[in-house]
Amino acid sequence: MSPMSDDAVDRAQRVLEEGISTDFSKAMSYGAYLDLDTLLAAQHPRSEPQQHDELLFIIQHQVAELWLKLLLHEMHSARALIAADELPPALKRLARVKHVQKQLVEQWDVLATLTPSEYAQIRPFLATSSGFQSHQYRAVEFLLGNKNADMVRVFEHSPHEHAELMRLLGEPTIYDEFLRFLARRGYAVPEAVLERDVTQPYRLDEDLVAVFEAVYASPSEHWGVYETCEELVDIEDLFQQWRFRHLQVVTRTIGHRQGTGGSSGVGFLRKALDLTFFPELYAVRALVE
């Protein structure tokens, strides 16, 4: 058998190019930059004997928390940019938020591969831990407008998390900043909306619906505002998709059993589907002709 030619070797494997770095004794490596030793050592199954599917459950939720961290990073920036009247870069941030949300929605498909009997083998080891206790998820809801001071009590065990949520509870939401932006641009945003208690969940204002009716009646004259409205509707739509997929995965995995954190489970999750962040942006749709 004749030896392979150099050309045949090149086609059979990807030859390491001469300029590729191989010595990382002093240089920065991929693993070092991402701190992979820490990241990949952060999975600590609690089952005894160890159950195969617990790693899936842990990684699923850890990855979700990483996406939530990025969501908060982008949403804080978008809010600050809107407050500074810099709408175009804020829209760029909101567009990225939507792409992250899509990752979170699609991620439920992986957890849905966990059957009821497989989950039953690891559920006892979760004890009282629950996704309901995710402070980052709660921070996202606060930034979008679902304020609820009672929810902060869940985080009293963690002074840092509790302080962060108390701070967000007292700050304007992204929608609040958008409405203040509109007022600065001369739109007739009601004073009651601009001066509302931002620690409370947002409530629909009929006079504000009329403001958005004018925007939707002539999009080309209000393009930046119109585009922002649609970005916010997209974000709420995707958030509701996330909630619904969560509900469906829980339903197929544990049925109507109580949640590990003490909630009613499916019933509690279903109530969240009735919540809305931007009510006027939905109410105006019935008026568009």
Side-chain angles (χ1 to χ4, degrees):
M1 182 179 294
S2 60
M4 294 178 65
S5 67
D6 290 343
D7 287 343
V9 170
D10 287 344
R11 289 195 298 271
Q13 66 182 39
R14 185 165 59 169
V15 177
L16 195 65
E17 295 175 353
E18 185 176 342
I20 291 179
S21 300
T22 58
D23 182 3
F24 298 101
S25 57
K26 296 181 180 178
M28 173 77 75
S29 70
Y30 172 82
Y33 177 73
L34 296 176
D35 198 8
L36 289 182
D37 285 346
T38 300
L39 182 65
L40 299 179
Q43 295 74 47
H44 306 289
R46 307 301 177 98
S47 55
E48 186 63 43
Q50 187 169 325
Q51 300 298 316
H52 174 83
D53 296 301
E54 190 176 6
L55 188 62
L56 159 63
F57 192 86
I58 292 171
I59 289 178
Q60 168 92 20
H61 289 83
Q62 287 182 337
V63 170
E65 289 295 332
L66 288 173
W67 283 128
L68 288 172
K69 183 174 183 176
L70 182 57
L71 268 187
L72 289 169
H73 177 68
E74 301 297 339
M75 290 169 64
H76 277 294
S77 179
R79 185 180 62 169
L81 288 166
I82 293 170
D85 293 334
E86 297 183 39
L87 198 58
L91 290 173
K92 169 66 174 178
R93 302 291 193 272
L94 295 179
R96 184 174 292 165
V97 164
K98 294 192 300 182
H99 286 290
V100 175
Q101 287 181 290
K102 290 175 183 177
Q103 296 298 315
L104 283 163
V105 172
E106 292 295 326
Q107 197 174 304
W108 286 116
D109 290 345
V110 183
L111 196 62
T113 65
L114 197 63
T115 67
S117 57
E118 290 167 344
Y119 179 63
Q121 292 177 323
I122 63 175
R123 194 173 197 257
F125 301 97
L126 302 181
T128 55
S129 65
S130 168
F132 178 78
Q133 299 150 13
S134 167
H135 80 281
Q136 290 196 124
Y137 173 81
R138 197 61 54 200
V140 168
E141 284 217 325
F142 280 11
L143 274 169
L144 289 176
N146 185 23
K147 300 287 187 75
N148 187 335
D150 286 342
M151 295 295 185
V152 183
R153 290 164 38 207
V154 177
F155 305 93
E156 289 177 347
H157 68 284
S158 173
H160 170 71
E161 294 174 1
H162 186 268
E164 172 67 10
L165 289 174
M166 286 300 296
R167 182 178 64 79
L168 285 175
L169 187 68
E171 291 180 353
T173 68
I174 289 177
Y175 194 46
D176 286 324
E177 288 295 2
F178 177 50
L179 298 179
R180 294 175 184 184
F181 168 85
L182 293 181
R184 292 193 298 273
R185 290 299 178 95
Y187 290 84
V189 179
E191 283 298 318
V193 171
L194 297 174
E195 297 175 0
R196 78 179 193 89
D197 180 355
V198 297
T199 66
Q200 299 301 308
Y202 188 85
R203 298 286 184 252
L204 181 140
D205 186 290
E206 293 291 352
D207 292 333
L208 183 57
V209 176
V211 173
F212 287 120
E213 183 180 6
V215 171
Y216 276 80
S218 185
S220 60
E221 295 180 18
H222 310 272
W223 187 257
V225 171
Y226 176 76
E227 185 179 7
T228 306
C229 291
E230 287 300 288
E231 288 288 323
L232 292 174
V233 170
D234 285 346
I235 288 172
E236 174 149 349
D237 189 347
L238 284 162
F239 203 93
Q240 288 289 57
Q241 289 182 43
W242 186 92
R243 283 171 168 164
F244 181 74
R245 286 296 291 133
H246 185 193
L247 170 65
Q248 291 300 97
V249 171
V250 171
T251 301
R252 68 182 287 164
T253 305
I254 67 169
H256 291 269
R257 295 176 63 184
Q258 185 181 49
T260 52
S263 75
S264 59
V266 168
F268 181 79
L269 296 175
R270 184 170 286 118
K271 291 176 183 177
L273 295 175
D274 294 329
L275 300 175
T276 182
F277 299 123
F278 320 120
E280 292 87 4
L281 299 185
Y282 283 91
V284 73
R285 281 157 160 72
L287 306 176
V288 176
E289 296 180 352

